[in-house]
Amino acid sequence: MPQLNGNTCEINELPDGVTVTIKVATNSRYTQKITVTRDDEVLCVFAGSGERNAMSGQSTIVANSRAKLDVRFEYQTDINAAWCKSRQLKFGGPYTIGNYNLLVIVAENGDDEDYNDSVLEFSWITPR
């Protein structure tokens, strides 16, 4: 299970050696930023804004069960403003449907309380 702490999420349970797809979408006029790190190495950074699940990016990583992933959620209200911590995170999963697995983490920046300002999805196929 992911461990939530303020605007960060720690993930330890991804299966070793599996290719994981990371997708990010936004539902906010404010620019959202999500940073994914493993053992202090930045693996990917996504930034964007827009409504109706606007895609901010997609990437893949190979999971390492001996290393935790840290995910940080931030937003900015103006182009040159400092990055602010997203106010609250929630998650669902991981869900397993056949060999397909999905873990979703959402962030709220406080402008509307709908918990979809940033949407982060981890998905992977469990090897047979």
Side-chain angles (χ1 to χ4, degrees):
M1 297 281 264
Q3 300 296 313
L4 304 179
N5 183 15
N7 74 317
T8 62
C9 179
E10 182 179 303
I11 301 166
N12 290 314
E13 70 275 346
L14 297 174
D16 196 39
V18 171
T19 299
V20 178
T21 299
I22 304 171
K23 294 180 185 176
V24 174
T26 66
N27 290 284
S28 178
R29 61 189 167 96
Y30 297 141
T31 301
Q32 308 291 308
K33 181 168 84 168
I34 298 175
T35 305
V36 180
T37 61
R38 179 170 46 210
D39 292 338
D40 298 322
E41 175 191 356
V42 174
L43 299 178
C44 44
V45 178
F46 304 97
S49 63
E51 300 288 344
R52 296 183 177 93
N53 288 314
M55 268 307 268
S56 293
Q58 180 173 325
S59 186
T60 58
I61 62 168
V62 176
N64 179 341
S65 63
R66 294 173 303 285
K68 67 180 169 76
L69 289 180
D70 288 309
V71 184
R72 185 175 61 243
F73 292 78
E74 299 171 291
Y75 71 100
Q76 120 189 118
T77 56
D78 293 312
I79 291 173
N80 294 322
W83 290 101
C84 304
K85 295 178 179 181
S86 292
R87 294 204 170 107
Q88 190 170 13
L89 306 180
K90 295 187 182 231
F91 73 91
Y95 304 109
T96 300
I97 306 164
N99 287 5
Y100 181 75
N101 300 271
L102 179 67
L103 172 64
V104 180
I105 305 158
V106 296
E108 175 55 47
N109 61 30
D111 62 344
D112 54 12
E113 302 299 321
D114 58 4
Y115 293 92
N116 71 348
D117 297 322
S118 291
V119 179
L120 174 70
E121 295 180 3
F122 290 96
S123 62
W124 65 95
I125 302 296
T126 305
R128 293 181 184 223

